[in-house]
Amino acid sequence: MTNMLVTEGFEELKDYEICKRVGDYLHQKYPGTPALPHLWAVSIRGGMIYIQNMALNQQKGYAIRPELASDEMITRAGGEILERYRISRGVGGAQQALEHLVRYPDSRLVRHPT
């Protein structure tokens, strides 16, 4: 079973299937630990696939055109997001992500314009 975050409706079943495939692949490739899994969020907006790690930052992520969403590109996106926060791609990365949240608690907050 994967941890999936659905943040908004899907215009088509195809969009859901793409997001599910990308999310499942990221959870397989970069799972974190059973006690502290990475929380990957995948959405499609404006014809682009957006990938985020919600535990690290809810504002920044990685965008991919659907026709380029190969396993290699998804791996690159997930790894880039982890590296951006100096989080290991291996099992120890989940502990590093937790330490990041403790050190920078505001990094994962969504700031809405006022």
Side-chain angles (χ1 to χ4, degrees):
M1 182 164 91
T2 62
N3 296 315
M4 240 176 99
L5 178 65
V6 178
T7 57
E8 42 189 76
F10 295 96
E11 292 184 22
E12 297 182 24
L13 181 59
K14 178 182 76 170
D15 291 351
Y16 171 80
E17 291 170 350
I18 291 170
C19 290
K20 175 123 174 65
R21 183 184 76 78
V22 171
D24 285 348
Y25 184 81
L26 286 166
H27 281 288
Q28 175 189 351
K29 192 73 177 175
Y30 305 117
T33 67
L36 188 61
H38 287 296
L39 181 57
W40 295 106
V42 181
S43 61
I44 294 182
R45 294 185 310 273
M48 296 290 287
I49 299 172
Y50 292 93
I51 300 171
Q52 296 172 285
N53 186 317
M54 300 305 277
L56 297 174
N57 190 302
Q58 294 179 1
Q59 298 180 67
K60 298 179 183 176
Y62 200 99
I64 302 174
R65 292 192 340 231
E67 63 271 15
L68 299 178
S70 64
D71 289 350
E72 180 181 342
M73 183 60 78
I74 296 166
T75 299
R76 181 180 300 158
E80 210 291 328
I81 291 169
L82 295 176
E83 288 177 5
R84 195 179 295 164
Y85 296 95
R86 294 182 174 84
I87 305 297
S88 168
R89 294 177 181 214
V91 175
Q95 182 61 37
Q96 291 173 323
L98 179 62
E99 292 168 4
H100 172 83
L101 289 176
V102 170
R103 205 171 317 130
Y104 307 104
D106 290 338
S107 71
R108 57 179 264 160
L109 298 177
V110 176
R111 291 182 181 83
H112 298 284
T114 56

